[in-house]
C-alpha cells in the first residue's frame, strides 16, 4: 500500500514538472493555440451549414404555407376543419422531401376571420445535420432539431363582386344540354356567391334569354313603358234599313236571291251577306243589286256594277245548318264605322285590334287596318256583317300598344299581343347602358310558336337558394336573341339601372372597389333581330315563320353585330366579359362572336361536352374570385 502511494506521488511530481517546463517553453505556441481553438472553429463551420439549411427550409415552408392558405381561400368552405382539410393537401405536397419533421395536428392551424381573411400558422421542427455533434470541451452549438414558424394571410376577396350570368334557353338546348347547363351554373353559384357577405359582398344575377328577356310586369313597365290602353267602343254601324233573311239563291247567271220578307232594295244598292252555308262565296263580299224582279227577289252584280254574278259552279245554298242574312250597306264600300272616343289611332294607315264586341262577334280577337279616322271614329278595312248590340274594346295596333297589328313578311295581316319580354333598344342609346328614364328599351310582341320565356330575370342577389331555384326552373324554347341577353346582362350590373332594380341595385363603376363581370353563354347562332317590337323580315333561319315576322328589316342590323357593339361598350366601362359557346362549331359566326365579345381570348370558352362545360364554368368562377396574398 505504501509502495503504491509512493509510486503515485512520484508520478504526480513528474507530471507537475513536465507541466512547469511546458509552461515556460515558448516554442510551438501557435500550434498549441490552434489545437485549443480548432473545436470552436469546427462548431462554427458546422453550425453555418445547418443555419443555411434552416434558412432554406424556412423559405420553402413559407411558400408552402402561402400555397395552402391560398388553396383554402379558393374553396367555398368556412369552417376551420374544412379549410384545414383542403389546405393540408397543398401543404404536404409542397413540403414533400423537405427536412421538416413530420407534422403533428397542433402544428398547423387555419381559420377564416369575419373580414373574410384566411389566417394560417405553421410550426415545425427541422433536424440539424452536423451542428448537434458533441465537441469537447465546448459541447454542441444547436439542439438536435430547430423550431421554425410561419404565418400567412389571404384575402378571400378584396373587392365586391357583381356577376351577370346570361343563359341561352332556346329551343336548341335539348334536355341533356339544359341539364348540363343547370348543373354547371349551380356550381358557378357556389364558387362566386359566398356565405359571408361582409365586409365584401358577392352577388349574381341570372338572365335567361331566348327570343327576348322576360323582365316580369313591374320591371318591364319601367324599362319599356306602359302600353297604350284600349278605348271603349260605343257603336258600330255599317248597314241601313232592316236585316233580311235569305231563303233561296239560284245557281245561275245572274244569281237571284229570295228573301223571306220584302227586302226594299233598289237597283244599284250595295249589299253584303253573312252566315251563309253552302254558297259561301256570298260571305264578306260587296255586291250590287242588279235588278229587282219582285219585292222578295233581286239579282246580283259585282261591286263595280258591270258584271253579273255567275254562281253555276258554286255549291248550293244550305239553310238547314245556318240562317243566311243580307242587308243594304250604309256606305258603298260596306265598311263598318266604329265609334270609340279618343281612340288614338294613327291618322293614316292605322291598325286596330278588337275584342269584346256584342253582336258583331266576327270582329272579335282580330286585327284590322283602318282608314278615314277622326278623333272618335274610324273605318274598318273589312266588309260589314252581323248586327252590333253593344260593348267592345279597341286597341291601337301600332308600336307601343297592347296589340301590334302589322303586315307580315308573308304579306298577310298579323296581330300579336305585347308581352313582359323586351326587345332591343334603338336610337342614340342603342349600345349604351343609359337609364331607362333617358331611353326606353323596346316592346316585344312574340308569336305563340316563339313565345316569351316563362323564366324572368333575377337581378343581383346573394341568395344561393333563389339563384339555384331559378336555374332549376329553366325550360327550353324559342329562337336566339343573344344581343338582348347580352344587353340585360350588362344592365343588371349597371349603376345607371340602379333605380329600376331597387334593393338589387348595382354599385357604381369603380374597378378598385367592385368587380363587375358578364358571362354570356350560348349554344348556337344569334338569329333574332327586331323592328318595331316584332322579329324582323331579315331575321336568320330558326327565328320563326315569315307570317310572324314584320315586313321590315331589323332596325339595328343583325344580332351578331349588335352583340359585338354591346360587348365593346360594356368592356369600355370596365366590365369583364366571359363567353361560353357550348358545343358551337369551332369555326363560324358563333365561335367568332365568343372570341370577339370576351375581354381577351383567355376569357372565351368553347366546351364540347358536359364535363368541359362544368370545367369552363368552374374556371370562370375561380378567375372571378381570384385571390391575392395580402401578407
Amino acid at each position: 500500500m505504501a509502495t503504491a502511494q509512493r509510486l503515485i506521488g512520484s508520478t504526480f511530481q513528474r507530471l507537475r514538472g513536465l507541466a512547469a517546463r511546458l509552461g515556460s517553453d515558448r516554442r510551438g505556441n501557435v500550434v498549441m493555440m490552434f489545437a485549443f481553438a480548432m473545436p470552436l472553429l469546427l462548431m462554427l463551420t458546422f453550425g453555418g451549414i445547418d443555419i443555411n439549411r434552416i434558412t432554406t427550409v424556412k423559405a420553402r415552408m413559407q411558400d408552402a404555407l402561402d400555397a395552402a392558405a391560398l388553396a383554402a381561400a379558393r374553396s367555398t368552405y368556412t369552417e376551420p376543419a374544412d379549410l384545414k382539410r383542403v389546405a393540408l393537401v397543398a401543404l404536404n405536397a409542397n413540403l414533400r422531401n423537405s427536412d421538416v419533421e413530420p407534422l403533428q395536428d397542433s402544428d398547423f392551424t387555419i381559420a377564416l376571420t369575419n373580414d373574410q381573411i384566411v389566417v394560417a400558422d405553421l410550426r415545425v421542427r427541422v433536424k440539424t445535420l452536423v451542428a448537434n455533434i458533441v465537441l469537447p470541451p465546448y459541447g454542441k452549438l444547436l439542439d438536435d432539431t430547430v423550431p421554425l414558424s410561419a404565418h400567412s394571410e389571404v384575402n378571400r376577396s378584396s373587392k365586391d363582386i357583381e356577376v351577370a350570368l346570361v343563359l341561352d334557353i332556346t329551343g336548341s338546348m335539348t334536355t341533356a344540354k339544359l341539364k348540363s347547363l343547370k348543373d354547371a351554373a349551380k356550381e358557378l353559384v357556389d364558387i362566386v356567391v359566398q356565405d359571408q357577405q361582409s365586409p365584401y359582398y358577392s352577388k349574381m344575377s341570372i338572365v335567361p334569354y331566348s327570343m327576348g328577356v322576360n323582365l316580369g310586369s313591374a320591371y318591364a313597365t319601367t324599362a319599356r313603358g306602359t302600353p297604350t290602353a284600349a278605348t271603349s267602343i260605343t257603336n258600330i254601324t255599317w248597314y241601313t234599313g232592316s236585316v233580311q233573311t235569305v231563303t233561296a239563291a239560284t245557281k245561275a247567271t245572274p244569281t237571284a236571291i229570295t228573301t223571306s220578307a220584302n227586302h226594299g232594295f233598289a237597283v244599284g244598292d250595295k249589299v253584303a251577306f253573312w252566315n251563309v252555308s253552302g254558297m259561301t262565296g256570298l260571305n264578306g263580299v260587296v255586291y250590287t243589286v242588279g235588278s229587282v224582279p219582285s219585292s222578295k227577289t233581286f239579282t246580283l252584280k259585282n261591286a263595280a256594277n258591270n258584271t253579273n254574278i255567275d254562281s253555276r259552279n258554286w255549291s248550293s245554298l244550305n239553310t238547314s245548318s245556318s240562317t243566311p242574312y243580307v242587308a243594304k250597306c250604309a256606305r258603298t264600300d260596306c265598311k263598318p264605322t266604329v265609334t270609340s272616343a279618343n281612340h288614338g289611332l294613327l291618322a293614316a294607315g292605322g291598325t286596330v285590334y278588337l275584342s269584346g264586341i256584342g253582336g258583331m262577334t266576327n270582329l272579335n280577337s282580330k286585327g284590322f287596318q283602318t282608314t278615314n279616322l277622326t278623333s272618335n271614329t274610324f273605318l274598318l278595312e273589312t266588309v260589314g256583317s252581323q248586327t252590333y248590340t253593344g260593348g267592345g274594346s279597341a286597341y291601337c295596333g301600332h308600336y307601343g300598344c297592347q296589340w301590334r297589328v302589322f303586315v307580315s313578311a308573308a304579306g298577310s295581316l298579323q296581330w300579336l299581343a305585347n308581352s313582359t319580354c323586351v326587345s332591343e333598344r334603338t336610337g342614340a342609346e342603342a349600345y349604351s347602358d343609359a337609364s331607362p328614364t333617358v331611353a326606353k328599351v323596346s316592346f316585344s310582341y312574340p308569336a305563340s310558336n316563339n313565345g316569351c320565356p316563362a323564366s324572368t330575370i333575377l337581378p343581383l342577389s346573394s341568395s344561393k337558394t333563389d339563384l339555384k331555384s331559378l336555374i332549376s326552373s329553366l325550360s327550353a324554347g324559342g329562337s336566339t336573341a343573344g344581343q338582348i341577353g347580352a344587353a340585360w346582362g350588362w344592365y343588371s350590373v349597371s349603376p345607371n339601372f340602379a333605380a329600376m332594380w331597387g334593393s338589387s341595385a348595382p354599385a357604381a363603376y369603380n374597378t378598385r372597389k367592385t368587380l363587375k363581370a358578364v358571362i354570356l353563354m350560348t349554344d348556337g347562332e344569334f338569329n333574332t333581330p327586331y323592328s318595331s317590337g316584332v322579329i324582323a323580315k331579315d331575321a336568320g333561319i330558326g327565328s320563326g315563320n315569315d307570317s310572324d315576322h314584320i315586313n321590315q328589316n331589323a332596325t339595328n342590323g343583325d344580332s351578331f353585330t349588335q352583340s359585338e357593339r354591346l360587348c365593346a361598350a360594356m368592356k369600355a366601362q370596365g366590365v369583364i366579359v366571359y363567353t361560353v359557346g357550348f358545343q358551337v362549331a369551332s369555326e363560324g359566326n358563333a365561335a367568332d362572336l365568343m372570341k370577339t365579345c370576351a375581354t381577351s381570348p383567355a376569357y372565351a370558352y368553347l366546351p364540347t361536352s358536359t364535363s368541359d362545360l362544368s370545367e369552363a364554368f368552374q374556371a370562370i368562377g375561380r378567375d372571378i374570385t381570384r385571390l391575392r396574398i395580402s401578407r
Side-chain angles (χ1 to χ4, degrees):
M1 182 70 172
T3 303
Q5 290 177 341
R6 286 194 299 271
L7 180 60
I8 293 172
S10 175
T11 301
F12 181 73
Q13 290 295 328
R14 287 196 297 270
L15 288 174
R16 288 183 61 185
L18 176 62
R21 289 195 303 273
L22 288 174
S24 60
D25 192 345
R26 294 293 183 267
R27 291 172 300 176
N29 277 359
V30 173
V31 174
M32 294 174 62
M33 292 173 65
F34 177 77
F36 283 113
M38 186 172 65
L40 180 60
L41 293 174
L42 288 175
M43 289 181 66
L44 292 175
T45 300
F46 293 157
I49 294 173
D50 273 327
I51 290 171
N52 180 69
R53 286 182 58 258
I54 292 168
T55 301
T56 301
V57 171
K58 171 73 173 178
R60 183 174 176 182
M61 171 186 170
Q62 185 66 58
D63 290 342
L65 184 61
D66 289 341
L70 190 61
R74 280 179 172 154
S75 74
T76 59
Y77 298 118
T78 58
E79 295 301 320
D82 296 324
L83 292 169
K84 189 170 187 177
R85 185 176 65 255
V86 172
L88 278 173
V89 174
L91 184 65
N92 290 328
N94 283 280
L95 289 178
R96 187 177 293 117
N97 298 323
S98 69
D99 294 316
V100 173
E101 292 286 287
L103 297 180
Q104 303 298 317
D105 184 68
S106 60
D107 292 338
F108 176 55
T109 60
I110 190 167
L112 180 66
T113 70
N114 291 333
D115 293 334
Q116 290 294 285
I117 297 176
V118 174
V119 179
D121 287 284
L122 178 64
R123 294 172 295 278
V124 301
R125 298 193 68 82
V126 180
K127 185 174 179 61
T128 56
L129 291 179
V130 293
N132 60 346
I133 298 174
V134 177
L135 294 175
Y138 302 101
K140 54 187 179 180
L141 180 63
L142 301 173
D143 293 333
D144 293 342
T145 59
V146 176
L148 297 177
S149 64
H151 177 81
S152 182
E153 295 183 13
V154 174
N155 287 337
R156 176 156 268 180
S157 174
S158 58
K159 296 180 181 179
D160 294 324
I161 296 176
E162 297 175 354
V163 179
L165 181 57
V166 183
L167 299 178
D168 183 338
I169 56 169
T170 55
S172 58
M173 288 293 293
T174 62
T175 301
K177 290 169 72 174
L178 188 61
K179 182 182 184 304
S180 298
L181 175 62
K182 290 179 180 181
D183 292 342
K186 290 176 184 177
E187 291 175 352
L188 181 66
V189 169
D190 283 332
I191 295 173
V192 172
V193 180
Q194 302 299 313
D195 294 328
Q196 182 69 37
Q197 292 291 313
S198 176
Y200 304 107
Y201 67 75
S202 50
K203 299 180 180 179
M204 182 179 287
S205 64
I206 306 292
V207 185
Y209 74 93
S210 59
M211 48 66 67
V213 172
N214 189 347
L215 298 185
S217 57
Y219 291 139
T221 299
T222 302
R224 46 91 165 127
T226 303
T228 303
T231 56
S232 297
I233 295 172
T234 56
N235 195 23
I236 303 177
T237 60
W238 71 273
Y239 67 89
T240 184
S242 59
V243 174
Q244 300 298 318
T245 300
V246 176
T247 58
T250 63
K251 295 176 62 178
T253 304
T255 302
I257 304 298
T258 301
T259 59
S260 62
N262 295 334
H263 53 68
F265 299 157
V267 173
D269 285 347
K270 304 300 181 182
V271 297
F273 296 81
W274 69 95
N275 209 39
V276 178
S277 296
M279 196 176 281
T280 55
L282 293 176
N283 289 324
V285 180
V286 177
Y287 290 104
T288 304
V289 175
S291 64
V292 183
S294 73
S295 63
K296 293 184 178 182
T297 61
F298 61 94
T299 62
L300 296 178
K301 282 189 171 183
N302 62 5
N305 196 23
N306 56 17
T307 304
N308 288 322
I309 300 301
D310 183 357
S311 61
R312 288 175 295 179
N313 295 323
W314 292 8
S315 298
S316 298
L317 181 69
N318 181 355
T319 59
S320 62
S321 60
S322 64
T323 302
Y325 300 100
V326 65
K328 177 185 175 180
C329 299
R331 293 173 50 92
T332 57
D333 56 12
C334 296
K335 294 177 181 179
T337 300
V338 180
T339 301
S340 182
N342 301 313
H343 51 70
L345 301 181
L346 295 176
T351 55
V352 67
Y353 179 86
L354 304 177
S355 69
I357 297 171
M360 300 179 71
T361 55
N362 62 315
L363 299 180
N364 287 328
S365 304
K366 292 180 182 177
F368 298 91
Q369 291 179 320
T370 63
T371 56
N372 293 345
L373 300 164
T374 70
S375 60
N376 297 322
T377 64
F378 55 89
L379 294 179
L380 294 179
E381 287 293 310
T382 188
V383 174
S385 64
Q386 300 180 308
T387 301
Y388 177 73
T389 60
S393 298
Y395 296 86
C396 58
H398 54 264
Y399 174 81
C401 298
Q402 184 61 40
W403 284 86
R404 186 76 171 90
V405 183
F406 59 94
V407 177
S408 73
S412 59
L413 192 67
Q414 176 64 290
W415 46 91
L416 299 172
N418 175 51
S419 68
T420 53
C421 272
V422 289
S423 57
E424 310 106 318
R425 180 153 55 186
T426 60
E429 304 297 341
Y431 303 107
S432 82
D433 63 337
S435 166
T437 60
V438 174
K440 298 294 186 185
V441 301
S442 297
F443 286 78
S444 175
Y445 302 90
S448 59
N449 60 359
N450 190 12
C452 179
S455 297
T456 59
I457 190 172
L458 177 63
L460 289 172
S461 172
S462 59
S463 170
K464 292 184 180 181
T465 300
D466 291 347
L467 292 164
K468 291 182 179 181
S469 177
L470 176 58
I471 292 170
S472 295
S473 71
L474 298 177
S475 58
S479 57
T480 312
Q483 77 280 11
I484 301 175
W488 282 96
W490 183 15
Y491 300 159
S492 71
V493 298
S494 168
N496 294 327
F497 277 69
M500 174 174 162
W501 298 128
S503 60
S504 298
Y509 287 123
N510 187 333
T511 55
R512 290 178 299 175
K513 294 183 177 180
T514 307
L515 184 152
K516 295 177 182 283
V518 171
I519 304 169
L520 177 60
M521 175 269 163
T522 186
D523 77 327
E525 305 285 332
F526 291 179
N527 58 14
T528 309
Y530 282 76
S531 176
S532 299
V534 181
I535 297 176
K537 178 175 68 174
D538 56 349
I541 296 173
S543 59
N545 303 320
D546 282 349
S547 59
D548 299 322
H549 295 177
I550 196 168
N551 191 26
Q552 299 170 5
N553 286 336
T555 304
N556 291 349
D558 67 79
S559 299
F560 286 105
T561 301
Q562 292 186 56
S563 299
E564 288 177 355
R565 295 187 65 177
L566 285 164
C567 288
M570 69 176 90
K571 287 187 288 189
Q573 290 283 15
V575 177
I576 299 172
V577 180
Y578 299 87
T579 57
V580 180
F582 185 31
Q583 295 183 358
V584 303
S586 58
E587 300 294 332
N589 290 337
D592 291 343
L593 178 65
M594 295 296 96
K595 298 169 186 175
T596 302
C597 256
T599 293
S600 74
Y603 289 71
Y605 297 82
L606 299 176
T608 59
S609 66
T610 296
S611 59
D612 290 343
L613 180 65
S614 177
E615 290 174 5
F617 272 50
Q618 289 182 39
I620 292 171
R622 288 191 298 268
D623 193 55
I624 289 174
T625 59
R626 64 185 180 273
L627 309 163
R628 65 180 182 82
I629 297 174
S630 60
R631 288 196 290 274

